[in-house]
Amino acid sequence: KQEVTQIPAALSVPEGENLVLNCSFTDSAIYNLQWFRQDPGKGLTSLLLIQSSQREQTSGRLNASLDKSSGRSTLYIAASQPGDSATYLCAVMPGNQFYFGTGTSLTVIP
Amino acid sequence: NAGVTQTPKFRVLKTGQSMTLLCAQDMNHEYMYWYRQDPGMGLRLIHYSVGEGTTAKGEVPDGYNVSRLKKQNFLLGLESAAPSQTSVYFCASRSGTRSYNEQFFGPGTRLTVL
């Protein structure tokens, strides 16, 4: 069974800092990996999706990388802002199902 | 374009009562999913569907049933609610045309079973 781990569980940074969130998975046989953002009491918003054949994807200040062989992905957030405060989740898709990590709760301090 | 909608947003049940959660999507997606989210557990897949008339079990299917009679709707039923089913339930959908199609999520249903 696919296990997805996100470390750290919580992260607090001052505004303007660059930061990296980590996601690791146990089975490298995946079709894609998706990063989400979740605000308190809300649903999940898709940030980036990386196909298994890709190494990275970029959207604005966000950059996600994927190393399938080592079972790792990172989400890089540049020049963090208070509005980036949320929980970030990664999910991998080895077949028709998705497996989620438990998320990293990010707080950006003004 | 409403995306993925869920009904109701909140519900309180007593143990043993039944209810149905409705998920609707207007994006003509083939795949639909029901998840539950619990503190410290992340999102866990309950059931999913790869097309109209099909359903399959996910990671935690016990105590739940689903139906996909129409492509745009995916229903999640609790026949006899238990306190362990207190959770936030999310529905998601995605196109089945490519394996790299994103999942889109609904706003969630917060269910409390007393």
Side-chain angles (χ1 to χ4, degrees):
Chain A
K1 181 198 160 198
Q2 181 75 259
E3 300 283 347
V4 182
T5 304
Q6 291 186 249
I7 295 174
L11 181 64
S12 185
V13 300
E15 181 178 0
E17 193 164 294
N18 302 327
L19 60 102
V20 174
L21 306 179
N22 298 295
C23 172
S24 61
F25 47 96
T26 53
D27 188 343
S28 62
I30 62 171
Y31 288 114
N32 63 56
L33 184 145
Q34 195 169 357
W35 281 94
F36 295 88
R37 169 189 173 131
Q38 185 177 28
D39 294 290
K42 304 291 186 183
L44 280 70
T45 301
S46 178
L47 297 173
L48 289 164
L49 182 144
I50 310 177
Q51 299 175 51
S52 62
S53 58
Q54 297 176 321
R55 297 284 294 181
E56 63 179 79
Q57 278 284 354
T58 298
S59 176
R61 294 182 294 109
L62 305 180
N63 176 276
S65 68
L66 174 64
D67 184 342
K68 260 187 36 171
S69 60
S70 67
R72 294 184 180 182
S73 176
T74 61
L75 179 66
Y76 175 83
I77 302 177
S80 59
Q81 303 171 357
D84 295 331
S85 297
T87 296
Y88 291 80
L89 299 105
C90 67
V92 297
M93 189 181 102
N96 289 328
Q97 301 186 34
F98 284 83
Y99 293 88
F100 281 80
T102 51
T104 294
S105 177
L106 173 66
T107 302
V108 181
I109 304 166
Chain B
N1 204 346
V4 181
T5 58
Q6 293 183 231
T7 309
K9 290 185 169 51
F10 302 93
R11 186 73 185 268
V12 178
L13 289 178
K14 294 181 179 178
T15 297
Q17 288 185 318
S18 63
M19 78 163 294
T20 300
L21 282 66
L22 169 64
C23 176
Q25 51 93 6
D26 60 3
M27 297 173 281
N28 201 34
H29 285 170
E30 289 79 14
Y31 288 71
M32 296 187 75
Y33 305 84
W34 275 109
Y35 295 91
R36 59 178 290 172
Q37 185 176 37
D38 303 291
M41 301 290 289
L43 273 85
R44 293 179 292 167
L45 183 64
I46 304 171
H47 286 281
Y48 65 100
S49 169
V50 301
E52 182 178 319
T54 74
T55 62
K57 294 181 180 180
E59 189 182 354
V60 288
D62 294 341
Y64 304 94
N65 56 75
V66 287
S67 65
R68 183 100 181 266
L69 298 180
K70 293 182 179 180
K71 187 177 185 179
Q72 63 268 34
N73 295 338
F74 195 28
L75 304 178
L76 178 70
L78 286 73
E79 290 186 347
S80 180
S84 61
Q85 294 178 304
T86 293
S87 188
V88 181
Y89 291 85
F90 288 102
C91 176
S93 72
R94 74 176 183 92
S95 173
T97 56
R98 295 284 188 272
S99 62
Y100 51 79
N101 293 129
E102 298 172 74
Q103 280 191 104
F104 294 88
F105 276 78
T109 294
R110 188 173 295 275
L111 175 65
T112 302
V113 183
L114 303 175

